[in-house]
Amino acid sequence: MTTTPIHLQRPDGKGLAAGTLGLWGSTVIGLASTAPVYSLVATLGFVVLAVGAQAPIAFIIAFIPMLFIAFAYRELNRAVPDCGTTFTWGTKAFGPWVGWMGGWGVAVAGMVVLANLAQIASIYFWALFGLEFENNDWRILLVAVAFIAAMTWVSWRGVEIGERIQNILLAIQYLALAIFVVAALWQFFAGTAPHPTPFDISWLNPFGFADWSGFTEAVLLALFIYWGWDTCLALNEETKDPKRTPGRAALLTTVILLVTYVSVTIAAMMYAGLGEDGVGLGNESNADDFFLAIKDGLLGPFGWVLVVAVLISAVSSTQTTILPTARGTLAMGVYRALPARFKDVHPAYRTPSFSTLVMGVVAVVYYVGMSLISDHILQDSILSLGLAIAFYYAITGFACVWYFRGELFRSAGAFVVKGLLPLLGALMLTYAFIQSAIDMWDVDYGYTVLFGIGGTFVIGIGALAVGVVLMFVWFLFPRSKRFFRGESLNRDTEVLVPDEGDYGRSVDGGLI
């Protein structure tokens, strides 16, 4: 069978809105993708339950592999500034099969977290009115679907309007976190905190963990709250100076997140202590939502500020989570790893029109379907998210080492940032993947048991296995042949990136 040739020299690249984002805009989107307020709400209590007073150092240790992988992203982006990121880099380093699965890992993570974020946003929306419903109540589902639809529209409408919205939403999030830290420390020093606990330098002692299982659990939990910074790399083709700015934004994002998480954790420990009752961080009943437990005692009549912050954090991340998956599938469509429709770009807004809409529709179907089947299954799919994250981050780290293998010994700097750090990050995340899978096998790990083993394991590994099946199904289609033969994308392929140039834009990202 014949296939239509693909043109690799188009001056407009894939057709995206080149030059839209600067360093600040790219960093804002990277930060928004991590949902810093919601990530803390969802993780802080469980980390304290796992390691107690060592929570701050757990966040610092979890930062290390993220930083190392950020170097891999930066170096690969300098050489290959392609919005396909892990898919493109994995294909260039290891061939089409590994690259395709790397792209699938990005898609799975995005789909699962979108369902979670939308549900959280809906729950907190109703909490603003003092209402509380079951997670799979029709009112929760309705508002969650509305949030996904709205943020899909923003992502489809233009990356610039998305950036402007994210500036506002992120400012509100960090204002709320600043209010939290100031109020917590104020009450501590005033002696009005419920369980005032003086800061102890041992909180930052990396050798202070009581047991290995608690340490690994805390670090694996903490990995989740850093995930999302790579969105700024997926927008590389829409960023000014695409070879350098996205990498700088990724490193800046991870450092800002580290400072944010450690400072908020220390303030929370000084305010609430580590007790197992009341608002103590060791109280299991508060673990899944620490902010709701302390909002009234900390801020009194202004406790709603923390509710709004979590709502905004979830909505904000809903929009930015759509971006990398849509651009990843766009690249896969361009290089024949997916059907041709996925390479469609809106002629005015310069966004991946078909890919963005598909992402929104799939997220809605997945969320509603899983919720109607069982909210417990949905929650287990969220707990399994770490597997997909560690999977595609590790592929990126290994791809960096292999892609630059011929340059590693030209200088000490090249050896460190292109070889040693990415390799260490990839090995750490490979261990995280294996350890997570082992832990998830236990029937007591999550909320469900499937086939006699932990439902979290079945869902997490099963989601990646579905990717293997879909990859082989696509292999059977004629359009896929050039990709799987290594012709449409290989190490020597010129990536479809736009030429340098100035572009006039309207406020919503459309070309003037």
Side-chain angles (χ1 to χ4, degrees):
M1 294 183 181
T2 60
T3 55
T4 303
I6 119 179
H7 303 287
L8 298 177
Q9 303 299 328
R10 285 163 40 193
D12 59 343
K14 299 183 185 70
L16 297 171
T20 301
L21 299 173
L23 178 61
W24 174 248
S26 186
T27 303
V28 164
I29 288 178
L31 287 170
S33 295
T34 64
V37 175
Y38 165 65
S39 294
L40 278 166
V41 166
T43 308
L44 177 57
F46 290 109
V47 171
V48 171
L49 287 177
V51 294
Q54 304 310 119
I57 191 61
F59 285 119
I60 294 174
I61 292 174
F63 165 77
I64 294 173
M66 292 293 100
L67 178 64
F68 290 174
I69 293 299
F71 276 107
Y73 269 83
R74 187 190 71 174
E75 296 304 316
L76 284 167
N77 182 73
R78 281 179 174 174
V80 187
D82 189 277
C83 68
T85 59
T86 299
F87 156 72
T88 303
W89 302 331
T91 302
K92 280 182 164 287
F94 300 121
W97 303 96
V98 174
W100 202 99
M101 284 304 299
W104 176 252
V106 176
V108 166
M111 177 182 66
V112 172
V113 83
L114 261 179
N116 181 36
L117 290 166
Q119 185 182 72
I120 292 298
S122 182
I123 290 170
Y124 274 79
F125 171 82
W126 290 112
L128 281 176
F129 303 99
L131 299 173
E132 184 176 341
F133 305 110
E134 295 293 328
N135 286 353
N136 54 2
D137 184 274
W138 70 269
R139 286 157 289 198
I140 297 291
L141 294 177
L142 181 64
V143 173
V145 169
F147 279 133
I148 294 176
M151 293 301 102
T152 300
W153 180 84
V154 170
S155 300
W156 173 81
R157 190 67 176 81
V159 71
E160 190 169 9
I161 189 174
E163 179 207 354
R164 289 170 183 255
I165 291 174
Q166 291 301 338
N167 272 295
I168 297 171
L169 299 183
L170 189 67
I172 295 173
Q173 287 188 66
Y174 268 87
L175 176 61
L177 289 176
I179 291 172
F180 173 88
V181 171
V182 170
L185 294 180
W186 181 279
Q187 290 201 29
F188 168 78
F189 288 111
T192 57
H195 299 289
T197 306
F199 172 77
D200 192 323
I201 194 64
S202 66
W203 295 355
L204 301 176
N205 178 12
F207 303 104
F209 295 97
D211 64 274
W212 182 253
S213 62
F215 165 74
T216 55
E217 180 183 355
V219 171
L220 291 172
L221 284 168
L223 284 176
F224 164 74
I225 72 173
Y226 288 108
W227 173 70
W229 53 264
D230 51 305
T231 296
C232 50
L233 277 301
L235 297 174
N236 48 16
E237 295 183 38
E238 295 147 278
T239 305
K240 299 169 185 174
D241 195 1
K243 291 189 176 182
R244 285 177 285 271
T245 298
R248 292 171 181 168
L251 292 173
L252 182 58
T253 297
T254 55
V255 172
I256 292 174
L257 289 172
L258 172 66
V259 174
T260 300
Y261 294 148
V262 173
S263 60
V264 172
T265 299
I266 290 174
M269 290 169 63
M270 293 176 69
Y271 169 80
L274 303 172
E276 298 179 2
D277 56 3
V279 298
L281 285 168
N283 186 344
E284 291 189 26
S285 62
N286 298 333
D288 61 346
D289 202 330
F290 175 68
F291 278 20
L292 275 186
I294 69 166
K295 65 182 180 66
D296 294 328
L298 181 66
L299 299 178
F302 298 99
W304 56 269
V305 169
L306 294 181
V307 176
V308 171
V310 177
L311 168 61
I312 286 175
S313 182
V315 171
S316 172
S317 190
T318 299
Q319 191 258 322
T320 52
T321 299
I322 294 170
L323 301 177
T325 305
R327 281 146 183 80
T329 52
L330 167 71
M332 294 178 78
V334 167
Y335 295 117
R336 297 176 173 270
L338 284 178
R341 283 296 304 278
F342 282 91
K343 68 178 181 177
D344 288 354
V345 172
H346 195 285
Y349 308 138
R350 296 298 183 95
T351 57
S353 54
F354 183 76
S355 292
T356 299
L357 295 176
V358 166
M359 181 61 183
V361 170
V362 169
V364 167
V365 171
Y366 175 80
Y367 167 62
V368 174
M370 295 294 274
S371 295
L372 292 179
I373 293 171
S374 168
D375 183 61
H376 285 167
I377 292 180
L378 177 62
Q379 298 308 314
D380 271 355
S381 72
I382 294 163
L383 288 175
S384 71
L385 184 64
L387 293 177
I389 295 170
F391 177 76
Y392 82 82
Y393 274 174
I395 286 177
T396 306
F398 288 126
C400 182
V401 177
W402 193 246
Y403 184 83
F404 293 113
R405 63 190 183 278
E407 306 175 25
L408 297 183
F409 298 100
R410 293 180 182 177
S411 69
F415 175 78
V416 172
V417 299
K418 295 180 179 180
L420 180 61
L421 298 185
L423 178 61
L424 290 175
L427 290 173
M428 291 176 186
L429 288 165
T430 300
Y431 171 77
F433 179 91
I434 295 171
Q435 185 63 51
S436 292
I438 293 172
D439 292 341
M440 290 174 186
W441 182 278
D442 192 329
V443 294
D444 295 325
Y445 186 90
Y447 298 94
T448 59
V449 177
L450 299 173
F451 310 113
I453 57 180
T456 310
F457 175 90
V458 174
I459 294 168
I461 297 298
L464 295 175
V466 167
V468 176
V469 174
L470 292 177
M471 179 173 60
F472 278 103
V473 169
W474 176 239
F475 175 76
L476 300 177
F477 284 78
R479 188 176 189 273
S480 73
K481 299 308 179 185
R482 291 192 63 196
F483 172 73
F484 286 107
R485 288 199 301 260
E487 296 172 3
S488 61
L489 181 61
N490 54 54
R491 183 179 178 89
D492 300 319
T493 303
E494 288 290 331
V495 295
L496 283 170
V497 295
D499 288 344
E500 296 287 339
D502 295 326
Y503 296 81
R505 278 183 184 73
S506 62
V507 68
D508 60 10
L511 295 186
I512 296 175

